[in-house]
């Protein structure tokens, strides 16, 4: 007993030293030269270790003098055969640290001689460079005997209580939790309360031997994985053999040294815990995989096929969508759901892709058991063997039948919308033409009456009233067509850099006579800033400004004023029109941009429809600008537009566009000795009569008429005229076809042809000029403008 106590005292001293040496997260790195280990040090520090880098072996002598041994030592250097100083220093270091520090050598030398020299020097592991980061960190973690976050739990089972007490004290001093069991038959009961990481069994116990207890535990799945370490004597060799047959982990002598016992138990406990962690990871992975499979099955249509395309697996979703049972599908080829909606080349390309080991993706139309078609977004992934050849194909599909149905519905809706848009465009064009045709006669004859000085003054005044009413009606027609075009999103714009000054000048010319008639004075302020340019459509901007100026004149006081101001506001140009009228009541201002709402002026003396400001607002906003106003009752209102600024680029070298007032000059080789002949091709009797009245005042010209293009062509062939005026909408051959025929006639190709038509929609004029008309005049005609064009060409 005295000897046993003395032994226990020595063990306690060794355990105390070892427990101090274990508490460390420090890694010592020894390399051949400075800077060589920088990458290694950075990698270890990023893994959470504290790193101490050394370059001299002699520095190793004191690495355990601080009371705490490093978790591991890494040697990044070469070992030479018979190199004794490193071996001696490593041996001294291990002795100082009770052989507790693992030494890991990293070397580019892979020969056996170098490895042997390293192991003889005391190296624990020898790794050939280059070493993967994950592998090195794993080996450090496996080799370093660092205490775990949760102490290892050890159960000592033996009926020799005195030595059992010494072992328990030794393990507790090493930081482990220990449970002592004297009755081996109570082990399973005690394990339910104490989850041991290692079982330490005595070999020969009175009630049950160690191997017998080990066999009992190994047969119980609940305890089968717990590592067992047997404490035995040399006399118990037969029992050791029996324990080996029951798959024991290790044998230790009952007089084992503390360091060896702690090392063995720590190793088994660590391995057991890692096994539990791996089992938990595997369980979690299996759980996640099962959940993923459940999610996949709930959403996707999945099948697996062999190399021939025969189905070997389908999920429930596949059966649900296809209408076939699993039994009806397994063993059948995927052709069972073929729809016939795809050409053979479609499937050929699909099989060529997956047979080459590549993933195929596309949309496939299949046919269900009841004959209904359904669409699936499909990915087919080949499973590749070791030789790189497919052996299975897994298909994952998403039902997109509703998506395809929506696409078809959208296409039909788009086609219907386009058809409606075309119908509306045709209606607008037709309305414009039909309204302009009678207005042409009204305005034309009224102009003739007012120009005829032989008529009484009262008659000429009456004709001017008719002309004014007709022009007002024409303005209403234009506004209504513009509003319809805007509401159908058919407002075409040609955005470019536009000089503000040009827009202002043109607009003032258009409203000057109205202002004069009403005694309103227009005052322009800040003219110098009108040299700036804006990004806009010239014609539409002029239309908007004319609307604002017209309103300011119409709703002004007698002898009132209109101020026009142009100024720069940050990145925009503001064009403001201020009148001296009665202003807008506060309770009516929110209605100012409502169509057909004239704020109670519907029965007033001022003519209008209440859509001018609506059109103006839509035009300005379509050009990227804004419009707003402010008003004071009894003093007047200010309306302004703001448009984005643009840098003005001087344009040069561009031919001037054909002007309806000054058209190009033409010369005919077939000039008549008496007077030039003008052929007018028109089917409307009123328009023919109007033109005859126009020409009656010009005895120097001769007018000939035709009511169809066909008859006009015969007249051209028989007696080519000097000039042709032609309507576009003619019965039979239209104006464009007739123009083409004229240009094909050798004796008439040179004759200028002027379109005189009610087709006045946006783009009509450009189309006419592009087709080859010398000019394009729209109805209702401005007779003075027409006479100017004729004078320019014929004289």
């Amino acid at each position: 007993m005295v000897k046993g106590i003395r032994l226990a005292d020595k063990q306690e001293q060794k355990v105390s030293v070892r427990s101090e040496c274990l508490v460390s997260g420090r890694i010592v790195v020894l390399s051949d030269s400075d800077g060589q280990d920088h990458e290694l040090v950075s990698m270890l520090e990023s893994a959470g270790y504290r790193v101490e880098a050394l370059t001299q072996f002699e520095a190793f002598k004191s690495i355990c003098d601080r009371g705490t041994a490093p978790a591991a030592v890494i040697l990044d250097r070469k070992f030479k055969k018979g190199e004794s100083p490193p071996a001696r220093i490593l041996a001294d270091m291990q002795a100082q640290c009770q052989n507790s520090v693992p030494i890991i050598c990293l070397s580019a030398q892979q020969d056996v001689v170098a490895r042997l020299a390293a192991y003889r020097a005391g190296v624990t592991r020898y790794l050939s460079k280059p070493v993967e980061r994950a592998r090195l960190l794993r080996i450090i973690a496996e080799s370093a005997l660092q205490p775990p976050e949760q102490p290892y739990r050890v159960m000592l089972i033996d009926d020799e209580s005195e030595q059992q007490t010494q072992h328990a004290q030794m393990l507790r001093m090493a930081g482990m939790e220990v449970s002592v069991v004297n009755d081996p038959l109570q082990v399973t009961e005690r394990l339910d309360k104490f989850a041991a990481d290692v079982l330490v069994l005595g070999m020969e116990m009175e009630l049950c031997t160690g191997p017998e207890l080990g066999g009992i535990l190994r047969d119980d799945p609940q305890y089968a994985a717990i590592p067992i370490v047997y404490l035995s004597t040399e006399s118990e060799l037969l029992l050791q053999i029996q324990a080996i047959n029951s798959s024991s982990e290790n044998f230790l002598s009952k007089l084992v040294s503390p360091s060896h016992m702690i090392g063995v138990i720590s190793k088994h406990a660590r391995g057991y815990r890692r096994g539990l962690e791996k089992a938990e990871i595997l369980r979690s992975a299996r759980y996640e995989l099962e959940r993923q499979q459940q999610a996949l099955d709930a959403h996707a249509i999945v099948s697996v096929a062999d190399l021939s395309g025969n189905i070997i697996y389908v999920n429930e979703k596949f059966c649900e969508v296809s209408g076939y049972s699993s039994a009806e599908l397994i063993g059948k080829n995927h052709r069972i759901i073929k729809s016939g909606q795809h050409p053979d080349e479609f499937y050929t390309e699909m099989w060529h892709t997956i047979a080459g080991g590549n993933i195929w993706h596309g949309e496939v139309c299949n046919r269900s058991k009841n004959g209904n078609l359904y669409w699936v977004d499909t990915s087919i992934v080949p499973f590749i063997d070791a030789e790189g050849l497919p052996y299975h194909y897994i298909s994952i599909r998403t039902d997109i039948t509703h998506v395809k149905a929506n696409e078809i519905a959208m296409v039909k809706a788009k086609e219907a919308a386009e058809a409606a848009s075309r119908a509306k465009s045709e209606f607008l064009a037709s309305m414009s033409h039909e309204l302009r045709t009678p207005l042409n006669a009204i305005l034309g004859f009224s102009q003739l009456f007012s120009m005829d000085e032989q008529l009484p003054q009262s008659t000429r005044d009456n004709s001017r009233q008719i002309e004014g009413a007709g022009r007002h009606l024409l303005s209403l027609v234009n506004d209504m067509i513009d509003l319809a075009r805007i509401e159908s999103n058919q407002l075409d714009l040609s955005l470019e850099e536009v000089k503000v000054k040009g827009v202002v000048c043109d607009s003032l010319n258009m409203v000057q006579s109205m202002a004069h008639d009403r005694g309103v004075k227009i005052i322009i302020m800040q003219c110098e800033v009108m040299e700036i340019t804006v990004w806009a459509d010239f014609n539409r901007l002029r239309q908007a400004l004319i609307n604002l100026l017209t309103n300011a004149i119409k709703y002004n006081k007698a002898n009132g004023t209109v101020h026009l101001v142009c100024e720069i506001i940050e990145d925009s140009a503001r064009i403001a029109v201020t009148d001296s009228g009665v202003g807008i009541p506060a309770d009516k201002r929110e209605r100012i941009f409502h169509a057909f709402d004239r704020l109670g002026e519907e029965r007033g003396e001022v003519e209008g429809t209440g859509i001018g400001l609506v059109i103006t607002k839509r035009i300005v906003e379509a050009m990227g600008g804004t419009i707003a106003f402010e008003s004071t009752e009894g003093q007047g209102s200010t309306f302004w537009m703001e448009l984005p600024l643009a840098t003005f680029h001087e344009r040069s070298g561009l031919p001037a566009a054909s002007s309806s007032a000054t058209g190009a000059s033409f010369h005919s080789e077939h000039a008549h000795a008496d007077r030039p002949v003008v052929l007018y091709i028109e089917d409307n009797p009123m328009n023919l009569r109007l033109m005859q009245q126009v020409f009656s005042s010009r005895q120097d010209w001769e007018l000939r008429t035709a009511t169809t293009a066909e008859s006009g062509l015969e007249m051209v062939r028989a007696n080519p005229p000097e000039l042709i005026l032609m309507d576009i909408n003619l019965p039979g051959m239209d104006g464009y076809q007739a123009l083409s025929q004229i240009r094909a006639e050798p004796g008439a190709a040179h004759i200028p042809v002027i379109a005189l038509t009610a087709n006045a929609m946006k783009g009509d004029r450009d189309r006419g000029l592009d087709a080859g008309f010398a000019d394009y005049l729209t109805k209702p005609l401005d007779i003075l403008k027409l006479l100017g064009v004729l004078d320019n060409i014929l004289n």
Side-chain angles (χ1 to χ4, degrees), residues 365-438:
C365 181
N366 291 329
R367 188 180 299 276
S368 63
K369 185 177 180 180
N370 61 11
N372 293 332
L373 298 177
Y374 64 95
W375 283 86
V376 286
D377 186 25
T378 304
S379 293
I380 305 177
V381 182
F383 285 12
I384 308 299
D385 60 20
E387 297 179 358
L389 300 175
Y391 62 92
H392 279 164
Y393 302 110
I394 181 170
S395 300
I396 301 177
R397 310 170 183 86
T398 302
D399 190 344
I400 57 169
T401 305
H402 63 291
V403 176
K404 301 298 287 188
N406 290 339
E407 288 179 359
I408 294 172
M410 288 177 65
V411 170
K412 290 182 178 179
K414 183 174 180 292
E415 292 175 349
E418 290 174 349
S421 178
R422 288 193 298 271
K424 193 164 189 177
S425 297
E426 293 170 0
F427 171 75
L428 290 175
S430 175
M431 284 294 295
S432 175
H433 182 273
E434 294 302 320
L435 290 171
R436 285 174 179 273
T437 297

Side-chain angles (χ1 to χ4, degrees), residues 588-790:
K588 296 181 179 180
R589 292 173 188 169
E590 64 178 15
R591 297 156 45 192
I592 198 69
F593 293 111
H594 290 186
F596 307 109
D597 189 345
R598 298 188 60 203
L599 309 183
E601 296 293 326
E602 290 81 1
R603 299 181 183 274
E605 297 180 357
V606 180
E607 297 175 338
T609 59
I611 61 176
L613 283 176
V614 177
I615 293 173
T616 301
K617 184 175 186 292
R618 300 284 183 85
I619 288 174
V620 172
E621 291 176 348
M623 294 188 298
T626 58
I627 186 170
F629 74 97
E630 57 185 19
S631 183
T632 304
E633 287 190 68
Q635 298 182 21
S637 306
T638 298
F639 284 79
W640 67 84
M641 303 178 289
E642 289 187 4
L643 293 160
L645 291 172
T647 303
F648 180 75
H649 297 287
E650 195 66 31
R651 297 171 179 85
S652 61
L654 297 177
S658 175
S659 169
S660 59
T662 61
S665 178
F666 299 91
H667 175 71
S668 173
E669 296 178 0
H670 294 268
H672 294 268
D674 297 331
R675 53 181 179 170
V677 174
V678 177
L679 174 62
Y680 182 34
I681 305 175
E682 169 68 74
D683 66 318
N684 185 281
M686 287 189 299
N687 292 334
L688 286 171
R689 181 174 177 79
L690 173 62
M691 192 61 67
Q692 289 169 350
Q693 290 289 327
V694 171
F695 272 73
S696 67
S697 63
R698 296 296 299 265
Q699 298 299 319
D700 53 334
W701 299 335
E702 179 182 345
L703 178 67
R704 297 175 183 174
T705 61
T707 56
T708 65
E710 290 82 0
S711 61
L713 284 171
E714 291 298 327
M715 296 174 66
V716 170
R717 294 186 186 105
N719 189 7
E722 182 80 13
L723 175 68
I724 300 173
L725 298 175
M726 185 162 56
D727 191 15
I728 298 294
N729 294 324
L730 294 169
M733 185 186 300
D734 65 20
Y736 285 104
Q737 293 170 324
L739 177 64
S740 178
Q741 292 285 336
I742 293 170
R743 292 289 173 258
E745 292 288 338
H750 63 282
I751 300 175
V753 181
I754 296 176
L756 207 164
T757 175
N759 292 352
M761 300 295 286
K762 183 175 178 62
D764 285 341
R765 175 180 170 80
D766 291 339
R767 180 191 173 196
L769 295 177
D770 291 342
F773 284 106
D775 209 333
Y776 193 96
L777 304 181
T778 59
K779 301 173 183 177
L781 288 176
D782 185 327
I783 293 179
L784 292 178
K785 185 181 294 185
L786 172 63
L787 293 174
V789 172
L790 295 176

Side-chain angles (χ1 to χ4, degrees), residues 432-490:
S432 175
H433 182 273
E434 294 302 320
L435 290 171
R436 285 174 179 273
T437 297
L439 279 173
N440 183 56
I442 295 171
L443 291 175
F445 282 113
S446 63
Q447 290 177 71
L448 289 177
F449 291 153
S450 63
M451 293 165 56
D452 190 350
E453 295 182 357
Q454 297 180 2
L455 292 175
Q457 184 64 40
S458 59
T459 302
R460 293 164 64 187
D461 290 342
N462 291 339
S463 67
R464 290 191 183 96
Q465 292 294 327
I466 296 173
E467 182 183 355
R471 293 200 179 280
H472 177 63
L473 181 58
L474 177 61
S475 175
L476 296 182
V477 169
N478 290 335
D479 284 349
M480 292 296 293
I481 291 174
D482 267 347
L483 182 62
R485 186 184 291 117
I486 289 171
E487 290 181 345
S488 61
N489 295 320
Q490 294 180 8

Side-chain angles (χ1 to χ4, degrees), residues 49 75 127-128 174 266 272 301 311 323 327 442 446 463 479 537 542 558 617 625 705 745 784:
Y49 291 105
L75 302 179
L127 305 178
S128 299
S266 296
Y272 175 65
I301 303 165
I311 301 171
I442 295 171
S446 63
S463 67
D479 284 349
D537 182 306
R542 181 179 60 182
K617 184 175 186 292
T705 61
E745 292 288 338
L784 292 178

Side-chain angles (χ1 to χ4, degrees), residues 481-553:
I481 291 174
D482 267 347
L483 182 62
R485 186 184 291 117
I486 289 171
E487 290 181 345
S488 61
N489 295 320
Q490 294 180 8
L491 181 64
D492 295 325
L493 296 174
S494 178
L495 297 178
E496 57 185 349
E497 294 177 354
V498 175
K499 274 190 174 181
V500 171
K501 185 175 182 179
V503 174
V504 170
C505 292
D506 276 17
S507 301
L508 289 175
N509 287 335
M510 297 294 290
V511 301
Q512 195 64 49
S513 61
M514 175 189 288
H516 180 268
D517 292 343
R518 295 176 182 263
V520 174
K521 184 179 181 179
I522 300 177
I523 302 172
I524 304 174
M525 303 177 66
Q526 296 179 240
C527 299
E528 65 278 2
V529 299
M530 288 194 294
E531 294 299 328
I532 63 174
T533 59
V534 293
W535 193 250
D537 182 306
F538 181 91
N539 292 325
R540 289 300 183 179
L541 178 56
R542 181 179 60 182
Q543 179 184 355
L545 181 54
I546 289 173
N547 281 345
L548 296 185
L549 289 169
T550 301
N551 281 353
I553 294 170

